[in-house]
Amino acid sequence: MTRQMTGAKMVVQALIDQGVDTVFGYPGGAVLPIYDEIFQQNHIKHILVRHEQGAVHAAEGYARSTGKPGVCLVTSGPGATNAVTGLTDALLDSIPIIVLTGQVPTFMIGSDAFQEADTVGITRPCTKHNWLVKDTDALAGVLHEAFHVATSGRPGPVLVDIPKDVQFAQGSYDAPKPSTSHYQPKVKGDMQEITELVAAIENAKRPLFYTGGGVINSGPGASQLLRELVGATGFPITSTLMGLGAYPASGDKWLGMLGMHGLYEANMAMHGCDLMINIGARFDDRITGLISEFSPKSTKAHIDIDPSSINKVIRIDIPIVGDVGHVLEDLLKVWKSRGRKTNSEAVGKWWGQIKEWQAVDCLKFKQQGKIIKPQYALSRLEALTKDHDRYITTEVGQHQMWAAQYLNFEDPNRWMTSGGLGTMGYGFPASIGAQMGHPESLVINVAGEASWLMNMQELGTAMQYNLPVKQFILNNERLGMVRQWQELLHGERYSSSWSESLPDFVKLAEAFGAKGIQCSDPDDLDDAIMEMINYDGPVVFDCLVEKHENCFPMIPSGKAHNEMLLGDAETQGVIDAKGSVMV
Amino acid sequence: MSALKLKKGDTAKSAYNLRPTFSDVIERHTLAVMVENEPGVLARVIGLFAGRGYNIESLTVAEVDHQGHLSRITIVTTGTPQVIEQIKAQLGRIVTVHEVHDLTVEGPSVERELAMFKVVGAGEKRVEALRLANIFRANVVDSTLETFVFEITGAPAKIDAFADLMRPLGLIDVARTGVAALSRGD
Ligand SMILES: Cc1ncc(C[n+]2csc(CCOP(=O)(O)OP(=O)(O)O)c2C)c(N)n1
Ligand SMILES: [Mg+2]
């Protein structure tokens, strides 16, 4: 049914009709009509962040933890430009986000009006798609289409730029209908290719599943099918940073994360496998290392909803374009109908080899003395929180990699980290978004002191909305990951990688009315973590850790998987000239 | 639009060859991209080439289906087979791109370009310019006592050849439209 209303009201109506319950935003002149409509209704909760970057990361945290799209509302000009980092982050991690921006009135566009920016121009390369709506009658259609585009195919961020006069004007509004737009990505895989993969599975001697964020994005059903497939074939499985939780860390086929800071057994298995089954991962350079030496002997199958991911960097033998859930369903059907065959004898031998690699125990560490090792802090955090209904976000740096290594994820949507863009400042606002989606759950942001300071203003947001997010800061007083690279390839010249003039985190927390806890003694750590968990409100936990700890294992840039460094190894000069130009 | 029946992402028979041979040979391909004729769509296509470091040798665009709001962008690009496949796949990801056709691999096609040449001269040179224009079937669309403006249509190589001949005869200005291309037959 078509109804007449203002553009501003349409925005709120479209959000309600799309099932949105939470919007993260920040007001300004160009969005005041929309804020006025938000004020006059009770369906949608608006969370006032403290910086627009925080709004987008919060929406990402909400989206990744709930499986629903995240929504932001910001003003024109600086509001829009502050959202750019979040949009780029969501683009690289394929997170469905809808960002609504105000714009100067249509008749002032192009005049360098106050707070005018070419928002669609600036965000064209960092959104999946964007629209400038110049006609109120077109607004409802664009808003509904924005949800369709953000959530279908390979998900991603979209932006709708709405001039202020379009918000004021009357137009006709229609409720959402199934999209009739041309954009309808294909979800079913080609049966011929799927059958070819089944044949490869039946014959493989050293198979390996390599899974990524695509499994999580495909929904909980895809993770379920993955578990069934892994269980039934008995093949080992590893995952990218983005895919953690799709297969449970406690599962007996689990090899742990792979990649630059992945586990020894996972990387060695990647290097040595004869059948690699990539499910929803994209051969990122953090995964492949040296391309020419990447898994040299394997037949490579790749299931991805985005055709451009296939053959982008690695040559694929069995390409399957489709949604992970749909393809796995068909794959299982065909494999079962052909008699559930695998080469179990050869796969048994392969497991024998893998067990040897696992015996290296690449994550072992020694907690000695009075200084907390970051690995120890995370092991204790894992032990004390694993039975909770728990969501983890992280910032970016060493702590992020240690979190991926030492925390275990049993389910999808429990782990939110900036994988593709590596955005320091992501974790705190993301934890706020995750907590909004899961008010009763334990939400922890594993942070580095430097990253955390990048969006620490969101402590105000956490306080205002009583969001009991726990900020677990591994404080090494260093830009630790930068320091580690300087140690390894810049002759230990630690250029600007100190965190100078750090605040007193306890006092900082208290200044906002939150709880601050500091811990520096390993013997006090458990009690302090329990105090954090049991406190009903936001906590800033300043965990003083070993300042010069390096994150291992590590595949140095420009090296192959089987050249990875384990802890305590001789690390000087391991990255050659070719490797050192890579990031 | 009857010839353009292929769906994006169709692995069996489409412009996307998902099983390429990785070779270092640089190829030249002509792509026909059907896009929704909406503001910014050309910026999306050009931005993709600039942002990902692909080459554009020639680009033409115009609305070809007024009712369907569709424009046709013809792009001539170069790259290794892997890069060409990536370009097509990346174009296919743009939400407002409806179809991507690689005319170079999808069968025989014809390419045409229109160009205008301004030639200044007197005496023998002026006569010679007119004579060559006749041979190349270029039309005189404007003339003064010292100048001609020729209009010529043809495959890009023919236009290049004409330009080479006109240069010593007083060529002072060239405008070229870039390539428009269609597949042959139905
Ligand atoms: C916005 C941004 N700026 C710079 C970087 C580069 N960078 C990566 S890790 C890192 C250091 C992070 O320090 P901290 O948050 O304390 O984490 P740690 O490595 O010490 O655990 C820096 C500067 C980045 N990833 N993001
Ligand atoms: Mg640090």
Side-chain angles (χ1 to χ4, degrees), chain A residues 512-578:
Chain A
F512 278 88
K515 183 173 183 61
I517 298 173
Q518 190 182 61
C519 183
S520 57
D521 185 336
D523 295 334
D524 298 340
L525 187 59
D526 278 21
D527 287 346
I529 290 175
M530 288 312 295
E531 190 185 355
M532 172 183 86
I533 297 170
N534 292 329
Y535 181 75
D536 184 18
V539 177
V540 179
F541 191 112
D542 183 16
C543 187
L544 301 179
V545 296
E546 166 70 52
K547 299 184 199 332
H548 300 113
E549 191 70 21
N550 282 334
C551 184
F552 291 114
M554 176 177 184
I555 303 177
S557 334
K559 296 281 184 191
H561 280 177
N562 58 350
E563 297 177 271
M564 91 186 307
L565 304 174
L566 297 172
D568 305 331
E570 176 52 64
T571 50
Q572 278 306 303
V574 290
I575 301 180
D576 55 22
K578 213 164 131 233

Coordinates of all heavy atoms in Angstrom, one line a residue, chain A residues 512-578:
Chain A
F512 N 35.0 8.3 33.5 CA 33.8 8.1 32.8 C 32.7 7.4 33.7 O 31.6 7.2 33.2 CB 34.0 7.2 31.6 CG 34.6 7.9 30.4 CD1 35.9 8.1 30.2 CD2 33.7 8.4 29.4 CE1 36.5 8.7 29.1 CE2 34.2 9.1 28.3 CZ 35.6 9.2 28.1
G513 N 33.1 7.0 34.9 CA 32.2 6.3 35.8 C 32.2 4.8 35.6 O 31.3 4.1 36.1
A514 N 33.2 4.3 34.8 CA 33.3 2.9 34.6 C 34.2 2.3 35.7 O 34.8 3.1 36.5 CB 33.8 2.6 33.2
K515 N 34.4 1.0 35.7 CA 35.3 0.4 36.6 C 36.7 0.2 36.0 O 36.8 -0.2 34.8 CB 34.8 -0.9 37.1 CG 35.6 -1.6 38.2 CD 35.0 -2.8 38.7 CE 35.8 -3.5 39.8 NZ 36.0 -2.6 41.0
G516 N 37.7 0.5 36.7 CA 39.1 0.2 36.2 C 39.7 -0.8 37.1 O 39.6 -0.8 38.3
I517 N 40.5 -1.7 36.5 CA 41.2 -2.7 37.2 C 42.6 -2.8 36.6 O 42.7 -2.8 35.4 CB 40.5 -4.1 37.1 CG1 39.1 -4.2 37.6 CG2 41.4 -5.2 37.7 CD1 38.4 -5.5 37.4
Q518 N 43.6 -2.8 37.5 CA 44.9 -3.0 36.9 C 45.5 -4.3 37.5 O 45.3 -4.6 38.7 CB 45.9 -1.8 37.3 CG 47.2 -1.9 36.5 CD 48.1 -0.8 36.8 OE1 48.6 -0.7 38.0 NE2 48.5 0.0 35.9
C519 N 46.2 -5.0 36.7 CA 46.8 -6.2 37.2 C 48.2 -6.4 36.6 O 48.4 -6.2 35.4 CB 46.0 -7.4 36.8 SG 46.6 -9.0 37.5
S520 N 49.2 -6.6 37.5 CA 50.6 -6.8 37.0 C 51.2 -8.1 37.5 O 52.3 -8.4 37.0 CB 51.4 -5.6 37.4 OG 51.4 -5.4 38.8
D521 N 50.6 -8.7 38.4 CA 51.2 -9.9 39.0 C 50.4 -11.2 38.5 O 49.2 -11.3 38.7 CB 51.1 -9.8 40.5 CG 51.8 -10.9 41.2 OD1 51.9 -12.0 40.6 OD2 52.1 -10.7 42.4
P522 N 51.1 -12.1 38.0 CA 50.5 -13.3 37.5 C 49.6 -14.0 38.6 O 48.6 -14.6 38.3 CB 51.6 -14.2 37.0 CG 52.8 -13.5 37.1 CD 52.6 -12.2 37.7
D523 N 50.1 -13.9 39.8 CA 49.3 -14.5 40.9 C 48.0 -13.9 41.2 O 47.1 -14.5 41.7 CB 50.2 -14.5 42.2 CG 51.4 -15.4 42.0 OD1 51.4 -16.3 41.2 OD2 52.4 -15.1 42.7
D524 N 47.9 -12.6 40.8 CA 46.6 -11.9 41.0 C 45.6 -12.0 39.8 O 44.5 -11.6 39.9 CB 46.9 -10.4 41.2 CG 47.7 -10.2 42.4 OD1 47.8 -11.1 43.3 OD2 48.3 -9.1 42.5
L525 N 46.1 -12.6 38.7 CA 45.4 -12.5 37.5 C 44.0 -13.1 37.5 O 43.0 -12.5 37.1 CB 46.2 -13.0 36.3 CG 45.7 -12.8 34.9 CD1 45.5 -11.4 34.6 CD2 46.6 -13.5 33.9
D526 N 43.9 -14.3 38.0 CA 42.6 -15.0 38.0 C 41.6 -14.2 38.8 O 40.5 -14.0 38.3 CB 42.7 -16.4 38.6 CG 43.3 -17.4 37.6 OD1 43.9 -16.9 36.6 OD2 43.1 -18.6 37.8
D527 N 42.0 -13.7 40.0 CA 41.0 -13.0 40.8 C 40.6 -11.7 40.1 O 39.4 -11.3 40.1 CB 41.7 -12.6 42.1 CG 41.8 -13.8 43.1 OD1 41.1 -14.8 42.7 OD2 42.5 -13.7 44.1
A528 N 41.6 -11.1 39.4 CA 41.3 -9.8 38.7 C 40.3 -10.1 37.6 O 39.4 -9.3 37.3 CB 42.6 -9.2 38.2
I529 N 40.6 -11.1 36.8 CA 39.7 -11.5 35.7 C 38.3 -11.8 36.2 O 37.2 -11.3 35.7 CB 40.2 -12.6 34.9 CG1 41.5 -12.2 34.1 CG2 39.2 -13.2 33.9 CD1 42.2 -13.3 33.4
M530 N 38.2 -12.5 37.3 CA 36.9 -12.8 37.9 C 36.1 -11.5 38.4 O 34.9 -11.4 38.2 CB 37.0 -13.8 39.1 CG 37.4 -15.2 38.7 SD 36.4 -15.9 37.4 CE 34.8 -15.9 38.1
E531 N 36.9 -10.6 38.9 CA 36.3 -9.3 39.3 C 35.8 -8.6 38.1 O 34.7 -8.0 38.1 CB 37.4 -8.5 40.0 CG 36.9 -7.2 40.7 CD 38.0 -6.3 41.2 OE1 39.2 -6.7 41.1 OE2 37.6 -5.2 41.7
M532 N 36.5 -8.7 37.0 CA 36.0 -8.0 35.8 C 34.7 -8.7 35.3 O 33.7 -8.0 34.9 CB 37.1 -8.2 34.7 CG 36.6 -7.7 33.3 SD 37.9 -8.0 32.0 CE 37.6 -9.7 31.5
I533 N 34.7 -10.0 35.3 CA 33.5 -10.7 34.8 C 32.3 -10.4 35.6 O 31.2 -10.2 35.2 CB 33.8 -12.3 34.8 CG1 34.9 -12.6 33.8 CG2 32.5 -13.0 34.4 CD1 35.4 -14.1 33.9
N534 N 32.6 -10.4 36.9 CA 31.4 -10.3 37.9 C 30.9 -8.8 38.0 O 29.9 -8.6 38.6 CB 31.8 -10.8 39.2 CG 32.0 -12.4 39.1 OD1 31.3 -13.0 38.3 ND2 32.9 -12.9 39.9
Y535 N 31.7 -7.9 37.5 CA 31.2 -6.5 37.7 C 30.1 -6.2 36.7 O 30.3 -6.5 35.5 CB 32.4 -5.5 37.5 CG 32.0 -4.1 37.7 CD1 31.8 -3.6 39.0 CD2 31.8 -3.3 36.6 CE1 31.4 -2.3 39.1 CE2 31.4 -1.9 36.8 CZ 31.2 -1.5 38.0 OH 30.8 -0.2 38.2
D536 N 29.0 -5.6 37.2 CA 27.9 -5.4 36.3 C 28.0 -4.0 35.7 O 27.5 -3.0 36.2 CB 26.6 -5.5 37.1 CG 25.4 -5.3 36.2 OD1 25.6 -5.5 34.9 OD2 24.3 -5.0 36.7
G537 N 28.8 -3.9 34.6 CA 29.0 -2.6 34.0 C 30.3 -2.6 33.2 O 31.0 -3.6 33.2
P538 N 30.6 -1.6 32.5 CA 31.8 -1.5 31.7 C 33.1 -1.6 32.5 O 33.1 -0.9 33.6 CB 31.7 -0.2 30.9 CG 30.3 0.3 31.1 CD 29.8 -0.3 32.3
V539 N 34.0 -2.3 32.1 CA 35.3 -2.4 32.8 C 36.5 -2.2 31.9 O 36.5 -2.7 30.8 CB 35.5 -3.8 33.5 CG1 36.8 -4.0 34.2 CG2 34.3 -4.2 34.4
V540 N 37.4 -1.4 32.3 CA 38.7 -1.2 31.6 C 39.7 -2.0 32.4 O 40.0 -1.6 33.6 CB 39.0 0.2 31.5 CG1 40.4 0.3 30.7 CG2 38.0 1.0 30.7
F541 N 40.2 -3.1 31.9 CA 41.2 -3.9 32.6 C 42.5 -3.7 32.0 O 42.8 -4.0 30.8 CB 40.8 -5.4 32.3 CG 41.5 -6.4 33.2 CD1 40.8 -7.1 34.2 CD2 42.8 -6.6 33.0 CE1 41.5 -8.0 35.0 CE2 43.5 -7.6 33.8 CZ 42.8 -8.2 34.8
D542 N 43.4 -3.1 32.8 CA 44.7 -2.7 32.4 C 45.7 -3.9 32.8 O 46.1 -3.9 33.9 CB 45.2 -1.4 33.0 CG 46.5 -0.9 32.5 OD1 47.0 -1.4 31.5 OD2 47.1 0.0 33.2
C543 N 45.9 -4.8 31.9 CA 46.8 -5.9 32.2 C 48.2 -5.6 31.7 O 48.5 -5.6 30.5 CB 46.2 -7.2 31.5 SG 47.0 -8.7 32.0
L544 N 49.1 -5.4 32.7 CA 50.5 -5.0 32.3 C 51.2 -6.3 32.0 O 51.3 -7.2 32.8 CB 51.1 -4.3 33.5 CG 50.4 -3.0 34.0 CD1 51.2 -2.4 35.2 CD2 50.4 -2.0 32.8
V545 N 51.7 -6.4 30.8 CA 52.3 -7.6 30.3 C 53.7 -7.4 29.9 O 54.2 -6.2 29.7 CB 51.5 -8.3 29.1 CG1 50.1 -8.7 29.6 CG2 51.5 -7.3 27.9
E546 N 54.4 -8.5 29.7 CA 55.8 -8.5 29.2 C 55.9 -7.5 27.9 O 55.1 -7.6 27.0 CB 56.1 -9.9 28.8 CG 57.3 -10.1 27.9 CD 58.6 -9.9 28.6 OE1 58.8 -10.5 29.7 OE2 59.4 -9.1 28.1
K547 N 56.9 -6.6 28.0 CA 56.9 -5.6 26.9 C 57.5 -6.0 25.6 O 57.3 -5.4 24.6 CB 57.7 -4.4 27.5 CG 57.1 -3.7 28.7 CD 57.8 -2.5 29.1 CE 57.6 -2.0 30.5 NZ 56.4 -2.2 31.2
H548 N 58.4 -7.1 25.6 CA 59.1 -7.4 24.4 C 58.8 -8.8 23.9 O 59.6 -9.3 23.1 CB 60.6 -7.3 24.7 CG 61.0 -5.9 25.2 ND1 61.5 -5.6 26.4 CD2 60.9 -4.7 24.5 CE1 61.7 -4.3 26.5 NE2 61.4 -3.8 25.4
E549 N 57.7 -9.3 24.3 CA 57.3 -10.6 23.8 C 57.0 -10.5 22.3 O 56.3 -9.5 21.8 CB 56.0 -11.0 24.5 CG 55.6 -12.4 24.3 CD 56.6 -13.4 25.0 OE1 57.3 -13.0 25.9 OE2 56.6 -14.6 24.5
N550 N 57.4 -11.5 21.5 CA 57.1 -11.5 20.1 C 56.0 -12.6 19.8 O 55.9 -13.5 20.6 CB 58.3 -11.8 19.2 CG 59.1 -10.5 19.1 OD1 58.6 -9.4 19.1 ND2 60.4 -10.7 18.8
C551 N 55.3 -12.3 18.8 CA 54.2 -13.2 18.5 C 54.7 -14.3 17.5 O 55.1 -14.0 16.4 CB 53.0 -12.4 17.9 SG 51.6 -13.4 17.5
F552 N 54.6 -15.5 17.9 CA 55.0 -16.7 17.1 C 53.9 -17.7 17.2 O 53.1 -17.7 18.1 CB 56.3 -17.3 17.6 CG 57.5 -16.4 17.4 CD1 58.2 -15.8 18.5 CD2 57.9 -16.1 16.1 CE1 59.3 -15.0 18.2 CE2 59.0 -15.3 15.9 CZ 59.7 -14.8 16.9
P553 N 53.8 -18.7 16.3 CA 54.7 -18.8 15.1 C 54.5 -17.6 14.1 O 53.5 -16.9 14.2 CB 54.1 -20.1 14.4 CG 53.3 -20.7 15.4 CD 52.8 -19.7 16.4
M554 N 55.4 -17.5 13.2 CA 55.3 -16.4 12.2 C 56.0 -16.9 10.9 O 57.0 -17.4 10.9 CB 56.1 -15.2 12.7 CG 56.1 -14.0 11.7 SD 56.9 -12.6 12.4 CE 56.7 -11.4 11.1
I555 N 55.2 -16.7 9.9 CA 55.8 -16.8 8.5 C 56.3 -15.5 8.1 O 55.5 -14.6 7.9 CB 54.7 -17.3 7.5 CG1 54.0 -18.6 8.0 CG2 55.4 -17.5 6.1 CD1 52.9 -19.1 7.0
P556 N 57.6 -15.3 8.0 CA 58.1 -14.0 7.6 C 57.6 -13.6 6.2 O 57.4 -14.5 5.4 CB 59.6 -14.2 7.6 CG 59.9 -15.5 8.3 CD 58.6 -16.3 8.2
S557 N 57.4 -12.3 6.0 CA 57.0 -11.9 4.6 C 57.9 -12.5 3.6 O 59.1 -12.5 3.8 CB 57.0 -10.4 4.5 OG 56.8 -9.8 5.7
G558 N 57.3 -12.9 2.5 CA 58.1 -13.3 1.4 C 58.6 -14.8 1.6 O 59.5 -15.2 0.8
K559 N 58.1 -15.5 2.6 CA 58.6 -16.8 2.8 C 57.4 -17.8 2.6 O 56.2 -17.4 2.6 CB 59.1 -17.0 4.2 CG 60.4 -16.2 4.5 CD 61.6 -16.8 3.9 CE 62.9 -16.0 4.3 NZ 64.1 -16.4 3.6
A560 N 57.8 -19.1 2.5 CA 56.8 -20.1 2.3 C 56.3 -20.6 3.6 O 56.9 -20.4 4.7 CB 57.3 -21.2 1.4
H561 N 55.2 -21.4 3.6 CA 54.6 -21.9 4.8 C 55.6 -22.8 5.6 O 55.6 -22.8 6.8 CB 53.4 -22.8 4.5 CG 52.2 -21.9 4.2 ND1 51.0 -22.4 3.9 CD2 52.0 -20.6 4.3 CE1 50.1 -21.4 3.7 NE2 50.7 -20.3 4.0
N562 N 56.4 -23.6 4.9 CA 57.3 -24.5 5.6 C 58.5 -23.8 6.1 O 59.4 -24.5 6.6 CB 57.6 -25.7 4.7 CG 58.2 -25.3 3.4 OD1 58.3 -24.2 3.1 ND2 58.7 -26.3 2.7
E563 N 58.6 -22.5 5.9 CA 59.7 -21.8 6.5 C 59.3 -20.9 7.7 O 59.9 -19.9 8.0 CB 60.3 -20.8 5.4 CG 60.9 -21.6 4.2 CD 61.4 -20.6 3.1 OE1 60.6 -20.2 2.3 OE2 62.6 -20.3 3.2
M564 N 58.3 -21.4 8.4 CA 57.8 -20.6 9.5 C 58.7 -20.6 10.7 O 59.4 -21.5 10.9 CB 56.4 -20.9 9.8 CG 56.2 -22.0 10.8 SD 54.4 -22.4 10.9 CE 53.6 -20.8 11.1
L565 N 58.7 -19.5 11.4 CA 59.5 -19.3 12.6 C 58.7 -19.8 13.8 O 57.5 -19.3 14.0 CB 60.0 -17.9 12.8 CG 60.7 -17.2 11.7 CD1 60.9 -15.8 12.0 CD2 62.0 -17.9 11.5
L566 N 59.3 -20.6 14.7 CA 58.6 -20.9 15.9 C 59.2 -20.0 17.0 O 60.1 -19.2 16.7 CB 58.8 -22.4 16.2 CG 58.2 -23.3 15.2 CD1 58.6 -24.7 15.4 CD2 56.7 -23.1 15.2
G567 N 58.7 -20.0 18.2 CA 59.2 -19.1 19.2 C 60.6 -19.3 19.4 O 61.2 -20.3 19.0
D568 N 61.3 -18.3 20.1 CA 62.7 -18.4 20.5 C 63.7 -18.7 19.4 O 64.8 -18.9 19.6 CB 62.9 -19.5 21.6 CG 62.0 -19.3 22.8 OD1 61.6 -18.1 23.0 OD2 61.6 -20.2 23.4
A569 N 63.2 -18.7 18.1 CA 64.1 -19.0 17.1 C 65.1 -17.9 16.8 O 64.8 -16.8 17.3 CB 63.4 -19.4 15.8
E570 N 66.1 -18.1 16.1 CA 67.0 -17.0 15.7 C 66.2 -16.2 14.7 O 65.8 -16.7 13.6 CB 68.3 -17.6 15.1 CG 69.2 -16.6 14.5 CD 69.6 -15.5 15.5 OE1 70.2 -15.8 16.5 OE2 69.2 -14.3 15.2
T571 N 66.0 -14.9 15.0 CA 65.1 -14.2 14.1 C 65.8 -13.1 13.3 O 65.2 -12.5 12.5 CB 64.0 -13.6 14.9 OG1 64.5 -12.9 16.0 CG2 63.0 -14.6 15.4
Q572 N 67.0 -12.8 13.6 CA 67.7 -11.8 12.9 C 67.9 -12.1 11.4 O 68.3 -13.2 11.1 CB 69.0 -11.4 13.5 CG 68.9 -10.5 14.7 CD 68.1 -9.2 14.3 OE1 68.5 -8.5 13.5 NE2 67.0 -9.0 15.1
G573 N 67.6 -11.2 10.5 CA 67.9 -11.4 9.1 C 67.0 -12.5 8.4 O 67.4 -13.0 7.4
V574 N 65.9 -12.8 9.1 CA 65.1 -13.9 8.4 C 64.3 -13.4 7.3 O 63.8 -14.1 6.4 CB 64.1 -14.5 9.5 CG1 64.9 -15.3 10.5 CG2 63.3 -13.5 10.1
I575 N 64.1 -12.1 7.2 CA 63.3 -11.5 6.1 C 64.3 -10.9 5.1 O 65.0 -10.0 5.5 CB 62.3 -10.5 6.6 CG1 61.4 -11.1 7.6 CG2 61.5 -9.9 5.5 CD1 60.3 -10.2 8.2
D576 N 64.3 -11.4 3.9 CA 65.3 -10.9 3.0 C 64.7 -9.6 2.3 O 63.6 -9.2 2.6 CB 65.6 -12.0 1.9 CG 64.4 -12.5 1.2 OD1 63.4 -11.8 1.2 OD2 64.5 -13.7 0.7
A577 N 65.5 -9.1 1.4 CA 65.2 -7.8 0.8 C 63.8 -7.8 0.1 O 63.0 -6.9 0.2 CB 66.3 -7.4 -0.2
K578 N 63.5 -9.0 -0.6 CA 62.3 -9.1 -1.3 C 61.1 -9.1 -0.3 O 60.1 -8.5 -0.6 CB 62.3 -10.4 -2.1 CG 61.5 -10.3 -3.4 CD 61.9 -11.4 -4.4 CE 60.6 -12.0 -4.9 NZ 60.6 -13.5 -4.7

